[in-house]
Amino acid sequence: MAESTASQIIDAVGGPGNITSLTHCATRLRFELVDAGKVDQNRLDHMKGVLGAVPQSGNRYQVVIGGGVASMYDRIMQLPEMANIGGGEVNNDGSRKLSNAEVKAQERSKVKGKHAWVDNFFEFLSDTFRPIINVLLGASLIIAILNVLIACHVITNDTESPTLLLCKAAYEGVFYFLPIMIAYNGAKKLKVDGWVGATIMAALMTPQFMALSAPDKWSGIFGDKSGLAAAKGALHCVTNATLGTQSCTTKVFGLPLQLNDYSGSVFVPLFMVAVLALVYKALERVIPDSVQMVFVPFLSMVIMIPITAFLLGPLGVWVGNGLGVGLAWLNNNAPFIFAILIPMLYPFLVPLGLHWPLNALMLVNINTLGYDFIQGPMGVWNFACFGATAGVLVIAMREKNVDMRQTAFGALMAGLLGGVSEPSLYGIHLRYKLVYKRMLIGCFVGGVVIAILGWVFPSTLANGQVVHGVTTNAFAFTSLLTIPVFSQMWVYAIAIAVAFFLSMFLIITLDYRTPEQKAADHAVEAQQAMDETPAVAADAPAAQSDAAPAAPATATLTATTTVAAPVAGHVISLDDAGDPVFASRALGEGVGIEPVDSTVYAPVSGVLSTVAETGHAFGIKTDDGVEVLVHIGIDTVKMNGEGFAPVVAKGQRVTVGDKLVTVDFGKVKAAGFNTVTVMTVLNTAALGGVTPKTGVDVKPGDAVLEISR
């Protein structure tokens, strides 16, 4: 069967003539193809022995096998038709070393668009905002809960109430210090000391800087009253009637300095880190290595704080205010543009990672206008997406398709409770393209509903301003839990309900598969049912009943109920680990851990079924059959073992807490790879359930996965 599967895989990817190169990591076959359009995706998706198939940029393709990938690779390479592919030198993991031409082709395929700088720009925005999405979501949930408590009169809406002030501090801390967070992440993305970027932005948010624009407010804090008096005398302020904000200027070193409140700013830290990267790297080139640790940060601060205060800060505020006023005018005068265009575009922007500029604009609107009007239409798209997934779940339950039922249920819960669309997109929608045709109708109709009702029933802000559409004063992941953060909540609720149930209805009535896909699914289900039916011999001897029954082999085994953290760090969801294959759960449920230590330990007791020669991945099978994969970093197989020092071998028995490998994560980062350590239960589908514990800091040995049998 294994040989047959090997031949089927090669045939499904277009045959040996379509293969430029083939390598493998701990769980996947990695193909470089002549023409990725020749791949039979549907056949791979339903092929026994294949856990999933994932197209990559260019003509790269990954076929997910699991822990037996090395054996499958060997069987493929032994096929007669593969005789002319895979010869020559090998890497440390046993895979073929690519020729110079192949390496060149592989590097070219990494450029997703025609212009690499465009891809780099979107990647910069993505990696700058992604790490703070969780706290932004947490803040929006606090606002939602607070709104409910105020509406139920549990908390008084008294602006001077200590209780309300504490509650507001819980979420305002995120939005107030947002520029520092953005500066830190942006600097790190540009390979600059993140704390230098954070410090530069923090300097513009200190009481001392704020005292320049409000001397009277801070006179009780500083002893130099005459200095404050001089600052007050040089101060000149102008009020912006449109935004209701005040702009002040003063003189510093004899130069005019525009004073702004930079709390919540988005463009200022983005502009600042872009210039900081140039300054920082220029200083590294001219300052000797022996004193860089002191003088590079020092001179960067000395140069960048004045540049940001005098130039980049005001520029960022001007750009933000201009965009805010322009978008607000467009929303009030042409509300259908946002209400319909946003939900229709998002299904295509999110898979490509092109939605991050819109996320940044939402934060700009909140900071400049005090509210945002893009998130309401975005919620329409999200709930259309979740409705389509709910429709797939209904069909899967009706047809008793266990695999799809598990996939759809997990994706639906992630969407309705977390507002996360990626599990639905990568797990279902992008595999079955008919989903988009049904879902887009829900997006469109939901957008029309929010546009019409938002125009007929506009919102009135606290300052008396009338705004068309659904607004919110918080950055929210559009889930069931965050509905209370939206103004004109009933309009928003009707629009997302229409989008959800219409998409769900269309999927249930029209199906999400082509006739060919549906027939293939039914054929696979029938074959699986036949395979699982035990054969009974007609002449089975009844005399066997006289013999003493054999004791169950696992009678004395202790059931594995938890899986421990293999490394110290912060636990995140597989959706945030940075790998679509792990996020799709093709390799089972699990967690990612952002490591803070260099030693990785065994998370369960059992036998090492897989030990990658590169030292980046380990498979452990417990005595009661739980299969656990520990995968250190994303795509770190390409490091060929550099920085990894494993101390165990395949077939060795380990217990929880035994050392597996020491990793130089500094080298991993320097090579440009993600350091997240992923751990999954490969045979999740065969168990009762695997429940991850995310959002916590752990040390080795702490339980991060709970297993039910």
Side-chain angles (χ1 to χ4, degrees):
M1 183 56 148
E3 287 290 339
S4 175
T5 302
S7 298
Q8 290 175 32
I9 291 173
I10 296 304
D11 188 45
V13 298
N18 194 38
I19 301 173
T20 302
S21 67
L22 171 61
T23 59
H24 74 86
C25 61
T27 57
R28 312 168 210 177
L29 297 170
R30 295 169 177 259
F31 289 91
E32 182 76 28
L33 304 175
V34 176
D35 181 6
K38 294 182 178 180
V39 175
D40 189 341
Q41 176 82 33
N42 183 60
R43 185 179 176 187
L44 286 169
D45 285 340
H46 296 94
M47 190 177 294
K48 192 168 184 179
V50 174
L51 299 178
V54 183
Q56 304 288 293
S57 60
N59 285 317
R60 292 182 297 160
Y61 215 90
Q62 295 184 5
V63 177
V64 186
I65 302 297
V69 67
S71 298
M72 182 60 69
Y73 172 83
D74 291 338
R75 292 186 178 98
I76 289 175
M77 300 310 294
Q78 290 168 9
L79 294 172
E81 58 264 38
M82 297 292 287
N84 296 323
I85 299 175
E89 299 178 77
V90 296
N91 295 311
N92 293 336
D93 65 347
S95 58
R96 183 173 64 88
K97 184 172 290 185
L98 303 181
S99 67
N100 291 338
E102 290 168 345
V103 171
K104 185 176 181 180
Q106 192 175 67
E107 290 302 312
R108 283 180 175 176
S109 70
K110 293 179 182 178
V111 181
K112 294 173 286 187
K114 295 181 179 179
H115 304 289
W117 70 268
V118 175
D119 295 326
N120 292 336
F121 170 73
F122 284 110
E123 185 180 349
F124 166 69
L125 286 179
S126 173
D127 290 349
T128 298
F129 285 101
R130 185 184 292 115
I132 57 177
I133 286 295
N134 290 343
V135 294
L136 288 169
L137 173 59
S140 69
L141 288 177
I142 293 174
I143 294 173
I145 294 171
L146 185 59
N147 288 343
V148 171
L149 293 177
I150 291 175
C152 296
H153 303 290
V154 176
I155 295 178
T156 177
N157 195 16
D158 182 358
T159 56
E160 296 183 359
S161 165
T163 302
L164 185 60
L165 289 175
L166 178 60
C167 292
K168 285 189 174 182
Y171 68 82
E172 283 289 358
V174 176
F175 295 106
Y176 185 89
F177 294 108
L178 184 64
I180 298 177
M181 301 179 193
I182 293 175
Y184 176 82
N185 291 332
K188 285 200 344 181
K189 176 60 183 175
L190 297 178
K191 303 187 184 305
V192 172
D193 188 338
W195 291 113
V196 174
T199 299
I200 293 169
M201 276 312 306
L204 273 62
M205 301 172 67
T206 58
Q208 287 81 0
F209 186 85
M210 300 298 290
L212 293 173
S213 58
D216 292 337
K217 180 179 177 181
W218 301 95
S219 60
I221 297 178
F222 306 110
D224 185 9
K225 302 291 183 64
S226 61
L228 288 173
K232 183 176 181 180
L235 192 64
H236 177 67
C237 297
V238 177
T239 300
N240 186 317
T242 304
L243 297 175
T245 58
Q246 191 178 63
S247 176
C248 300
T249 58
T250 188
K251 288 290 186 72
V252 177
F253 300 121
L255 300 174
L257 172 63
Q258 180 179 321
L259 303 170
N260 300 288
D261 181 359
Y262 292 110
S263 61
S265 176
V266 172
F267 285 112
V268 175
L270 291 176
F271 291 169
M272 183 274 293
V273 295
V275 179
L276 171 63
L278 300 175
V279 172
Y280 196 95
K281 292 173 182 178
L283 291 172
E284 285 184 321
R285 287 194 293 268
V286 299
I287 295 177
D289 294 346
S290 58
V291 292
Q292 279 188 6
M293 186 176 69
V294 176
F295 287 101
V296 171
F298 162 68
L299 291 175
S300 295
M301 292 165 60
V302 169
I303 295 170
M304 286 305 303
I305 290 175
I307 289 178
T308 307
F310 281 95
L311 179 61
L312 300 178
L315 176 62
V317 170
W318 295 337
V319 172
N321 288 347
L323 277 174
V325 172
L327 292 174
W329 180 89
L330 188 61
N331 179 66
N332 279 325
N333 290 275
F336 278 70
I337 291 180
F338 284 101
I340 298 177
L341 196 60
I342 293 296
M344 294 295 287
L345 284 177
Y346 250 89
F348 303 99
L349 296 178
V350 174
L352 299 174
L354 302 180
H355 60 300
W356 291 103
L358 281 174
N359 291 347
L361 288 177
M362 296 171 193
L363 293 167
V364 168
N365 288 337
I366 293 171
N367 183 50
T368 57
L369 303 173
Y371 65 91
D372 174 60
F373 43 82
I374 299 177
Q375 292 175 75
M378 185 189 75
V380 169
W381 124 253
N382 257 3
F383 277 88
C385 170
F386 307 150
T389 301
V392 173
L393 176 60
V394 171
I395 293 176
M397 294 174 65
R398 187 172 63 200
E399 298 182 354
K400 298 181 180 180
N401 186 332
V402 177
D403 292 340
M404 182 54 73
R405 184 182 65 195
Q406 291 177 340
T407 300
F409 179 77
L412 182 60
M413 290 301 100
L416 293 179
L417 300 180
V420 181
S421 60
E422 279 79 357
S424 292
L425 283 174
Y426 294 116
I428 303 171
H429 299 189
L430 294 176
R431 290 177 55 191
Y432 299 94
K433 297 302 175 63
L434 282 181
V435 173
Y436 264 62
K437 292 185 178 180
R438 322 305 191 216
M439 179 180 64
L440 285 173
I441 297 175
C443 290
F444 177 79
V445 176
V448 171
V449 170
I450 207 171
I452 294 175
L453 294 181
W455 178 265
V456 176
F457 303 99
S459 303
T460 302
L461 305 181
N463 61 4
Q465 182 183 356
V466 176
V467 178
H468 293 287
V470 173
T471 63
T472 177
N473 59 357
F475 184 89
F477 274 32
T478 45
S479 68
L480 289 175
L481 301 178
T482 57
I483 291 177
V485 307
F486 290 92
S487 179
Q488 294 298 72
M489 185 171 64
W490 68 274
V491 172
Y492 176 70
I494 291 175
I496 63 174
V498 168
F500 181 91
F501 287 108
L502 180 56
S503 297
M504 179 178 175
F505 172 77
L506 291 173
I507 291 292
I508 293 174
T509 54
L510 301 177
D511 211 294
Y512 62 97
R513 300 158 294 186
T514 63
E516 294 78 13
Q517 289 173 329
K518 187 175 181 179
D521 279 354
H522 290 169
V524 171
E525 291 161 12
Q527 184 62 49
Q528 289 176 344
M530 293 177 61
D531 293 341
E532 292 169 1
T533 302
V536 181
D539 58 349
Q544 286 183 356
S545 61
D546 295 334
T554 59
T556 60
L557 296 180
T558 301
T560 302
T561 58
T562 61
V563 180
V567 65
H570 183 71
V571 185
I572 61 176
S573 166
L574 290 181
D575 300 317
D576 301 320
D579 188 303
V581 173
F582 284 119
S584 72
R585 272 63 175 186
L587 293 169
E589 183 61 88
V591 296
I593 300 179
E594 297 172 332
V596 296
D597 196 6
S598 60
T599 305
V600 180
Y601 302 90
V604 292
S605 299
V607 176
L608 284 160
S609 56
T610 302
V611 176
E613 292 188 21
T614 53
H616 78 288
F618 303 83
I620 305 174
K621 187 172 184 178
T622 67
D623 292 337
D624 61 328
V626 178
E627 300 175 13
V628 178
L629 170 69
V630 178
H631 193 286
I632 304 165
I634 305 300
D635 285 337
T636 44
V637 64
K638 298 177 183 178
M639 294 186 67
N640 294 323
E642 184 69 19
F644 294 82
V647 296
V648 292
K650 182 178 179 180
Q652 179 179 332
R653 174 170 288 277
V654 293
T655 58
V656 177
D658 284 354
K659 183 177 177 180
L660 298 179
V661 61
T662 300
V663 185
D664 186 345
F665 284 110
K667 286 188 177 180
V668 176
K669 292 178 181 178
F673 295 106
N674 189 335
T675 61
V676 171
T677 297
V678 176
M679 181 174 67
T680 68
V681 178
L682 293 171
N683 59 338
T684 295
L687 303 172
V690 176
T691 305
K693 182 180 180 182
T694 60
V696 295
D697 295 323
V698 295
K699 59 182 183 299
D702 291 345
V704 292
L705 294 175
E706 292 183 1
I707 297 177
S708 56
R709 311 303 291 265

